[in-house]
Amino acid sequence: SSGINAEWPLRPGGYLRLQSNDPTQHPLIDPNYLDTEQDRWEMRQCIKLTREIFNQPAFDEFRGKELRPGLHCNADDELDQFVRQFGDSTYHPSCTCKMGTDSLSVVDPVSLNVHGVSNLKVVDASIMPSIVSGNLNGPVLMMAEKAVDVIRGRKMLKPAYNVPVYHPPTLQTQR
């Protein structure tokens, strides 16, 4: 069994807005997941790769017929419609108020304050400048630890140099 479930970065066009000034009302969220041709192309590639993987001989004894989107669904517009109808996110939203110093940034990377707003800090996955390829838990815990130091006025640790980083030999050739 396989499903269409992806982590997408919010590309231009998606938004997170307040519904009103009532803090008990949920925000308005529209990620516009399939707004760009890049989004649609990536999801079509996911379906094609999933089919390729499950059509390998190693799966012969386990594989039944394809239930969704079904073998009849091959054209780009058909695949796009399938993803619109059945795709969903992995519920790890991030990158909605980028931390940085450029014109698109919302949060100051040193103080964690929202630019132009006094005493409002943001410390969660929304301040990530770009989506991580793994689980958000570790990076969010790291940001929270940094926030504690910032709020308590602790100085940043000096950077460690010559720390080894593993680079798999297949990094450039992985599909």
Side-chain angles (χ1 to χ4, degrees), residues 22-93:
D22 179 355
T24 63
Q25 285 196 334
H26 293 285
L28 301 171
I29 303 172
D30 182 359
N32 252 355
Y33 284 141
L34 299 171
D35 190 47
T36 68
E37 178 54 33
Q38 181 69 26
D39 289 340
R40 293 185 295 277
W41 179 85
E42 286 175 3
M43 293 313 299
R44 290 191 298 264
Q45 292 305 110
C46 288
I47 293 170
K48 292 173 185 178
L49 179 59
T50 301
R51 285 174 166 169
E52 180 182 325
I53 290 169
F54 280 100
N55 279 319
Q56 297 299 312
F59 288 104
D60 285 351
E61 66 181 283
F62 307 105
R63 182 182 49 253
K65 68 177 186 169
E66 181 178 312
L67 302 176
R68 286 188 183 158
L71 295 176
H72 65 282
C73 186
N74 290 302
D76 287 355
D77 61 329
E78 294 171 331
L79 294 173
D80 293 345
Q81 180 57 38
F82 169 75
V83 173
R84 277 192 181 88
Q85 186 174 355
F86 295 103
D88 63 7
S89 77
T90 55
Y91 308 112
H92 286 103

